[in-house]
Amino acid sequence: MSNLTIVNALIVPMTEERKAFNGSLRVVDGLITEVAAGAPREKAPGEHVISAAGCVLMPGLINAHTHLYQVLLRAVWEDLELMPWLRRIYGCARVLRPEHFYAGSLLGCIEAIRSGITTVCEHNFLNPHPECAFETIRALRDSGLRAVFARTIMDTGEIVPDCTKETPEIAFRCIEELVAAHQNQSELTFMTGPNTPPINTTVDLLKEIRGFADSKGIGISAHVAESKSVVDCVRQQHDKSGVIEFLQQFAIPGQNSIFAHSVHVSKDEIAILQQTGTSVSHNPVSNMMLGDGVAPVVEMLRQGVNVALGTDGAASNHSQDLFDTMKAASLLQKVHHQDASVIDPYSVLRMATVGGAKALGLSSLCGTIEIGKRADLILVNVDTIHNQPINDIFSQLVHCAKASDVQTVIVNGEVLMRDRQLTRHDERKALADSRLAHGDLMERLATLSF
Ligand SMILES: [Zn+2]
């Protein structure tokens, strides 16, 4: 791991409200060791220097909720609401092979890198074969990204194929094997969780999962109250008014829990999130694509709930682009409340950085630019037609900047992309491999009826 210094950058450290300054930053053995305003100090022997003139240097973006392999399923099932769409997504388990997960996930990781993402939380839930999870993790490891692998469980559900339903006992054993096989890998941590309670999880599983997660020292990731249909299910079958209220009796909310979506939640449920320290992954593009509704993000932020941002899988977002998602998050709240002042751009940037790190238990490692944190950094070129002139860098990072403006991506001190050139990956090979995997998957899908 080489030492490097980044000079002449406009640094947006995300450590305090609307702070930005021109300066330099030094990385030694993957760690940020100096952040200074003004002109750079002299170069140390053997040090690699990156000139960042015209660029913003900021923490890498954190995608708090996705399903990477779904890049193979972009625009396959369109104009469907959640339940019929999920029937098809779950149905894929009948034909998905480990090689689809590797090729799709690697392509998704490369898209993430090229979009300025340095950490992804892969919420895994289709496991017709144990190798599917291993191959996804192999792609994450090969990518160089920091990753959280949330290996979740489904043990019931009319729309869940038998091949991917598991008893809690078998699922827990699989997760133990996964964790044991990836010990001491500093850029990879694990979570578990009920996938989409209550539509694909039994009460028996919900009773056991908090104890299992705590015994392994891992967090919980779940799809929560994504659409009205999920809330209808909890009302009809469990006599609870909402999904979060239902989950509370099993102690599933908690400081190491992240609830994706949380669209249809009441004020009382927002209070539960706040009191338990539960984080939310807001996935506005996916929510809009599936017609789910608008998550009460403003209310959550006002109540002190930690909110992160996620793309969700490409089957309901079409991309893995968090710049796109930041802009959508901002505009959706403004139009929903019919109040342009209801959310400010710095809050949106916080969700995509600091909020994501906190939600995934990574605050001590990443999410801000500070001495002592790992060097998970991006350079965003703002010296471009659509970014100039700069009047408000925070607003412009959310509303003007594009994923393609990301010049350089660094994870744990390793440069994964420099001047838009990938360092670890042959992009053409990854594209060719994903086309093969896609062709095979489409042939297999054509044999299914939904
Ligand atoms: Zn999801």
Side-chain angles (χ1 to χ4, degrees):
M1 197 178 293
S2 64
N3 299 337
L4 62 92
T5 297
I6 300 170
V7 301
N8 298 325
L10 175 57
I11 300 177
V12 173
M14 299 306 299
T15 51
E16 55 189 277
E17 195 78 17
R18 296 181 67 84
K19 181 178 182 181
F21 57 95
N22 290 300
S24 60
L25 175 146
R26 191 176 201 201
V27 177
V28 176
D29 293 335
L31 206 66
I32 299 171
T33 58
E34 285 178 33
V35 186
R41 26 151 223 90
E42 286 192 10
K43 185 182 164 188
E47 191 173 55
H48 181 59
V49 177
I50 295 176
S51 175
C55 289
V56 168
L57 172 60
M58 63 180 288
L61 303 182
I62 295 175
N63 188 354
H65 182 82
T66 189
H67 317 285
L68 289 161
Y69 77 93
Q70 285 186 6
V71 297
L72 299 180
L73 298 170
R74 291 185 219 267
V76 172
W77 295 298
E78 301 276 84
D79 308 326
L80 291 171
E81 61 183 43
L82 181 67
M83 287 304 173
W85 177 82
L86 268 185
R87 179 184 291 279
R88 287 158 178 81
I89 293 292
Y90 292 169
C92 286
R94 289 183 277 160
V95 295
L96 273 166
R97 302 288 310 148
E99 53 269 30
H100 302 139
F101 280 93
Y102 182 82
S105 298
L106 189 63
L107 191 71
C109 287
I110 291 174
E111 184 182 358
I113 293 167
R114 293 183 67 76
S115 314
I117 289 166
T118 52
T119 298
V120 291
C121 177
E122 167 68 15
H123 180 107
N124 160 271
F125 61 89
L126 292 185
N127 280 294
H129 192 283
E131 284 303 308
C132 296
F134 277 92
E135 285 299 277
T136 305
I137 292 172
R138 189 164 71 87
L140 287 164
R141 300 291 305 147
D142 287 352
S143 76
L145 287 168
R146 192 177 300 285
V148 176
F149 189 79
R151 202 304 196 169
T152 70
I153 304 165
M154 300 194 282
D155 68 337
T156 189
E158 180 255 327
I159 62 172
V160 182
D162 287 343
C163 64
T164 199
K165 271 182 204 159
E166 307 165 287
T167 63
E169 186 188 22
I170 288 174
F172 292 161
R173 202 182 315 137
C174 286
I175 295 165
E176 284 170 346
E177 284 170 10
L178 268 186
V179 174
H182 299 89
Q183 294 285 355
N184 305 320
Q185 297 193 356
S186 62
E187 283 104 70
L188 176 69
T189 53
F190 287 89
M191 285 184 161
T192 183
N195 181 36
T196 312
I199 65 165
N200 53 41
T201 55
T202 62
V203 165
D204 285 345
L205 170 62
L206 297 174
K207 281 179 181 167
E208 289 184 44
I209 200 149
R210 167 55 72 188
F212 173 72
D214 287 352
S215 73
K216 297 292 151 197
I218 58 179
I220 287 178
S221 175
H223 292 113
V224 171
E226 180 172 357
S227 73
K228 198 170 166 300
S229 52
V230 184
V231 180
D232 290 344
C233 178
V234 91
R235 286 177 182 161
Q236 287 159 12
Q237 295 179 11
H238 300 281
D239 199 26
K240 292 288 182 186
S241 62
V243 179
I244 294 174
E245 187 197 328
F246 171 64
L247 293 177
Q248 191 184 25
Q249 64 190 311
F250 308 108
I252 291 174
Q255 290 201 343
N256 60 0
S257 297
I258 177 167
F259 288 177
H261 306 298
S262 305
V263 173
H264 297 277
V265 299
S266 67
K267 278 187 183 150
D268 288 346
E269 290 182 308
I270 292 174
I272 294 173
L273 294 173
Q274 189 273 329
Q275 286 155 12
T276 55
T278 306
S279 292
V280 165
S281 171
H282 176 43
N283 311 307
V285 175
S286 175
N287 294 159
M288 287 193 278
M289 193 61 67
L290 295 171
D292 291 329
V294 182
V297 168
V298 169
E299 293 80 357
M300 289 175 189
L301 293 173
R302 282 182 185 154
Q303 295 304 315
V305 175
N306 180 51
V307 182
L309 275 189
T311 57
D312 210 349
S316 62
N317 177 309
H318 296 76
S319 86
Q320 294 295 288
D321 178 348
L322 262 188
F323 279 92
D324 206 38
T325 295
M326 284 198 290
K327 186 168 183 174
S330 172
L331 300 185
L332 181 59
Q333 293 301 318
K334 290 174 191 293
V335 71
H336 178 64
H337 290 270
Q338 296 183 46
D339 178 354
S341 70
V342 82
I343 192 162
D344 66 284
Y346 194 81
S347 298
V348 177
L349 281 172
R350 280 192 99 256
M351 288 194 270
T353 53
V354 185
K358 184 174 179 189
L360 300 177
L362 302 173
S363 290
S364 64
L365 300 177
C366 59
T368 57
I369 293 180
E370 284 180 90
I371 291 171
K373 289 212 179 174
R374 308 307 301 178
D376 289 9
L377 307 164
I378 57 173
L379 288 172
V380 184
N381 181 12
V382 290
D383 191 19
T384 56
I385 298 291
H386 58 272
N387 286 305
Q388 287 292 324
I390 302 293
N391 291 306
D392 179 335
I393 191 60
F394 308 102
S395 175
Q396 288 177 242
L397 283 169
V398 172
H399 300 121
C400 303
K402 300 180 186 305
S404 54
D405 297 329
V406 176
Q407 287 291 109
T408 295
V409 175
I410 300 167
V411 176
N412 209 23
E414 179 183 347
V415 178
L416 296 182
M417 183 170 79
R418 176 80 196 272
D419 295 331
R420 306 245 358 115
Q421 297 299 310
L422 298 171
T423 58
R424 270 199 188 201
H425 302 283
D426 180 339
E427 200 170 303
R428 275 184 294 189
K429 182 178 184 314
L431 275 171
D433 291 348
S434 67
R435 280 195 197 103
L436 280 177
H438 169 258
D440 183 62
L441 178 58
M442 290 301 117
E443 271 182 31
R444 291 167 185 268
L445 279 178
T447 66
L448 300 181
S449 58
F450 297 102

